[in-house]
Amino acid sequence: MLLVVEQFLNGLQFGLLLFLLAAGLTLVFGIMDFVNLAHGSLYMMGAYFAATFVAWTGNFVLGALLALGATLLLGIVLEFVALRHLYGRDHLDHVLATFGLILFFNDAVRLIWGPAGLALPLPGWLTVPIAIMPGVYYPAYRLAIIVVALVVALLLYLVVMRTRIGMLIRAGASNREMIGALGINIKLLYTLVFGLGAALAGLAGLMQAPILTVQIGMGENILILAFVIIVIGGIGSIRGAFLAAIFVGIIDTLGRAFLPDLLRQVLSSTAASTAAPALSSMLIYLLMAIVLVVRPEGLFPASRR
Amino acid sequence: MTASLNARNVIVALVVAGLLLLPLYTSLSGNVFALTLFTRIVIYALAAASLNLIMGYGGMMSFGHAAYLGIGGYAVGILAHEGIGSGFIQWPVALAASALFALVIGALSLRTRGVYFIMITLAFAQMAYYVASGLARYGGDDGLTIYKRSDFGGLINLSDRVQFYYLCVGCLLGGIYLIWRIVNSRFGLVVQGLRSNERRMQAIGFSVNRYRLVCFVISGTICGLAGALLANNTDFVSPAAMYWTRSGDLMVMVVLGGMGSLFGPVLGTIVFLMLEEFLSQITEYWALIMGPLLLLIVLFGRGGIDGLLGRLRRG
């Protein structure tokens, strides 16, 4: 029972992290109609920046904030130099151009930081277990991720739904020509949205960094997961991304934790230990297939289409 | 299209002649490396041509085509591992497995359009990648070494470098001929009509998804053949063959050469893999140059090499 609670929280934490990534991806796609495969590279850069800045400043929070700013800046530069010339082009052009960026970032990181991964050690106050229920302890850092991600999700919701910038973002998503005609600087708006997406990816990367090793290509697997989430949730829908991310995070984590035991009850133990890893990796893709068969536009398609 | 003497046709004729005569050059010069490199290029060209069938002519942006390379390869590898060495069994199984995978994936993916389709094919190919990584009996993550190449009972010896090379060239030319026949058939015209205006074709009374699905399956099967060739070429198959960046490479080859052009993918593959070879000889960090180069090609080189050749003729 304790294990179930713990794994459930792990799933929630992973899901919220995935949400940060998927939110940036779907924000950029929903508003700019731009498919950004290099989103995973921004996640990776966030992690590398964090590892570097934390080691440099010796302060975890300060390093993380610097890394966040660096990723935001990187996103804005990227948009300004290369990607803004691709708006309005075919989706395939986006895919190829950003695929090129992935190649670039992976080798750039290898050149700058070397082929071996980096570790990002946690400060002492984040490593203590915290009692969440009588007798149930949970690592403080994972709890902090849950809190930060929830706060960011709430902020994102407030910014998009309650502020003037958010109003423009939503207007841009429904009709870009119209808001351009109304005298809004749409170029600047797009740059801001892309920067926001990059910062969200960077935040996810830097928060995940202490849990996993910071390494080349770390953004690629998780990028595919983010895709699965926005396909399930409905492209362009932040709410859909939120619910699908939590759902996928929990299913993925619980599947990895408990599927081997469940299979062992019906299969021989060798067959179960062979099948379980592959099956649990496939679980969310199966989920996606089922969702698409029932609802090809995802569970919560953005209403504008 | 009339076979006139324009830049494009001359280049294509030269490339085909070059591919056919390459073993002559290598035996005279003793440069075996060129033959090894071009065997790989020819196999990838076949895979790229298969992707071009659905991407260039059918308008279906499959981002999971590497999955068929892996499935074709694993069919050969697993059968060889289990002691079934005959190519007459291995290759049909490779084709059938790829076709079956394409049928299931296609049926599900074709419920979606546009960017959903790109992402969903990508996700399904990743699923195949994880299955392959989970095959503990067949090497799992580390991959599976194939100790004996497919045996065609004395008909052709795959261990002979030159014979194997000609088999690959034969498969490539055969594949392109097949694609040419398909594209110019009534079936192919319907598929191309679907690319330009789906609603109109539907209104005329064509069952949209059935045509697309058949095209998708044909493409996957041809790519599965490339996978079987690739496994024989490297004597090895691993999940890495179906990793999603490989699908990206295939897409790049097609777009670089020119989408919807019969020989475009061949030119694209030659340029891409030669460039990769060339850059990796200069620097270990070849992707550092290749990545931005791709970006520039997308930004400025519309229509790929084939488009460039077409412009040469007009200009």
Side-chain angles (χ1 to χ4, degrees):
Chain A
M1 188 56 214
L2 285 183
L3 192 64
V4 176
V5 172
E6 195 186 327
Q7 291 298 342
F8 191 81
L9 280 171
N10 281 346
L12 183 70
Q13 176 253 308
F14 186 48
L16 283 167
L17 201 78
L18 287 173
F19 165 71
L20 294 182
L21 211 59
L25 207 57
T26 201
L27 204 61
V28 168
F29 182 80
I31 290 154
M32 291 139 73
D33 201 27
F34 186 81
V35 185
N36 181 19
L37 287 190
H39 202 68
S41 297
L42 293 166
Y43 166 89
M44 173 179 75
M45 293 310 289
Y48 270 96
F49 282 145
T52 311
F53 286 133
V54 169
W56 184 53
T57 59
N59 182 319
F60 185 80
V61 175
L62 187 63
L65 286 176
L66 280 175
L68 196 60
T71 330
L72 175 79
L73 198 66
L74 179 68
I76 288 175
V77 169
L78 206 59
E79 198 270 352
F80 197 78
V81 172
L83 302 181
R84 63 165 42 186
H85 308 292
L86 289 164
Y87 300 149
R89 292 273 203 97
D90 196 63
H91 284 150
L92 184 66
D93 284 355
H94 304 163
V95 168
L96 289 171
T98 51
F99 182 74
L101 286 179
I102 293 177
L103 294 181
F104 172 78
F105 275 115
N106 280 349
D107 255 17
V109 164
R110 204 151 59 91
L111 184 68
I112 298 169
W113 282 282
L118 299 179
L120 177 52
L122 278 174
W125 54 275
L126 278 174
T127 50
V128 287
I130 288 180
I132 43 170
M133 276 189 281
V136 181
Y137 289 90
Y138 195 69
Y141 184 64
R142 283 177 184 264
L143 216 53
I145 292 183
I146 294 178
V147 173
V148 169
L150 277 176
V151 169
V152 169
L154 185 69
L155 279 177
L156 195 64
Y157 173 81
L158 289 177
V159 165
V160 172
M161 300 309 282
R162 293 280 183 272
T163 65
R164 187 176 151 74
I165 289 275
M167 186 187 77
L168 294 177
I169 287 177
R170 279 178 292 135
S174 11
N175 193 332
R176 79 197 68 213
E177 285 81 19
M178 183 58 85
I179 86 152
L182 287 175
I184 306 300
N185 186 345
I186 195 135
K187 279 194 168 170
L188 183 67
L189 181 67
Y190 277 19
T191 309
L192 281 178
V193 171
F194 194 87
L196 178 62
L200 286 173
L203 179 63
L206 73 90
M207 288 203 305
Q208 186 73 328
I211 296 179
L212 301 170
T213 323
V214 181
Q215 57 188 353
I216 297 163
M218 64 185 281
E220 293 166 11
N221 290 327
I222 206 160
L223 175 75
I224 309 277
L225 277 182
F227 276 157
V228 170
I229 284 163
I230 65 175
V231 167
I232 290 177
I235 298 180
S237 160
I238 300 273
R239 188 174 62 118
F242 184 73
L243 295 174
I246 291 181
F247 201 44
V248 164
I250 289 175
I251 286 196
D252 190 62
T253 309
L254 291 188
R256 279 172 210 283
F258 299 113
L259 210 59
D261 286 335
L262 284 176
L263 282 182
R264 214 160 279 143
Q265 311 213 317
V266 280
L267 295 171
S268 72
S269 75
T270 46
S273 57
T274 318
L279 199 62
S280 51
S281 303
M282 281 171 65
L283 213 53
I284 56 156
Y285 299 101
L286 287 176
L287 177 76
M288 181 185 71
I290 294 166
V291 167
L292 278 175
V293 169
V294 186
R295 304 193 58 160
E297 293 271 278
L299 290 179
F300 307 94
S303 50
R304 69 198 169 86
R305 282 162 208 272
Chain B
M1 213 188 298
T2 51
S4 57
L5 198 71
N6 59 41
R8 180 193 295 163
N9 289 350
V10 170
I11 297 262
V12 166
L14 282 177
V15 165
V16 172
L19 286 180
L20 287 173
L21 292 176
L22 184 77
L24 197 67
Y25 160 75
T26 51
S27 67
L28 287 177
S29 67
N31 182 356
V32 185
F33 174 71
L35 194 60
T36 319
L37 174 64
F38 267 87
T39 307
R40 198 166 131 246
I41 288 180
V42 166
I43 296 171
Y44 274 108
L46 178 64
S50 78
L51 178 60
N52 183 42
L53 173 63
I54 55 170
M55 209 161 94
Y57 295 107
M60 290 173 269
M61 309 300 170
S62 163
F63 204 157
H65 238 57
Y68 308 103
L69 284 181
I71 290 169
Y74 267 100
V76 170
I78 289 176
L79 285 175
H81 190 76
E82 298 296 342
I84 301 168
S86 167
F88 294 115
I89 299 173
Q90 287 178 351
W91 290 39
V93 169
L95 296 183
S98 310
L100 188 68
F101 185 74
L103 186 69
V104 176
I105 297 316
L108 286 170
S109 307
L110 282 170
R111 297 176 58 83
T112 64
R113 292 284 177 270
V115 70
Y116 275 88
F117 188 82
I118 297 181
M119 289 181 185
I120 200 117
T121 45
L122 175 60
F124 278 125
Q126 269 316 90
M127 189 154 103
Y129 167 82
Y130 286 122
V131 172
S133 306
L135 292 173
R137 184 180 161 82
Y138 305 109
D141 277 330
D142 299 329
L144 179 63
T145 304
I146 300 167
Y147 292 102
K148 207 168 170 310
R149 291 189 175 182
S150 301
D151 173 28
F152 281 96
L155 206 63
I156 180 169
N157 179 10
L158 265 53
S159 303
D160 182 286
R161 236 186 262 277
V162 175
Q163 284 189 32
F164 182 64
Y165 174 75
Y166 274 120
L167 176 70
C168 294
V169 172
C171 286
L172 173 63
L173 295 180
I176 288 179
Y177 175 70
L178 181 69
I179 290 170
W180 180 68
R181 287 294 299 264
I182 291 172
V183 168
N184 290 300
S185 69
R186 179 183 171 278
F187 168 79
L189 293 176
V190 172
V191 171
Q192 289 172 76
L194 284 174
R195 181 193 53 185
S196 38
N197 194 332
E198 181 176 338
R199 208 170 284 174
R200 185 165 59 203
M201 298 307 281
Q202 206 165 19
I204 301 173
F206 289 110
S207 135
V208 172
N209 276 0
R210 205 175 300 165
Y211 277 89
R212 282 215 168 106
L213 184 58
V214 171
C215 193
F216 192 84
V217 171
I218 293 172
S219 167
T221 313
I222 298 176
C223 198
L225 175 65
L229 286 169
L230 198 63
N232 272 295
N233 185 40
T234 46
D235 297 314
F236 178 68
V237 57
S238 82
M242 36 172 70
Y243 195 59
W244 71 283
T245 52
R246 192 57 56 87
S247 302
D249 290 344
L250 287 177
M251 260 186 162
V252 170
M253 291 170 195
V254 173
V255 174
L256 193 61
M259 271 208 297
S261 135
L262 203 57
F263 274 91
V266 181
L267 301 180
T269 309
I270 293 176
V271 171
F272 184 80
L273 289 181
M274 298 262 281
L275 203 62
E276 187 185 295
E277 191 63 45
F278 173 70
L279 288 178
S280 62
Q281 273 172 17
I282 302 176
T283 165
E284 186 190 342
Y285 305 102
W286 60 273
L288 212 56
I289 305 167
M290 189 69 132
L293 208 58
L294 266 181
L295 192 69
L296 290 176
I297 289 169
V298 173
L299 279 174
F300 302 111
R302 309 191 75 170
I305 299 169
D306 189 75
L308 197 70
L309 293 175
R311 278 200 290 277
L312 268 182
R313 181 191 172 201
R314 250 171 279 133

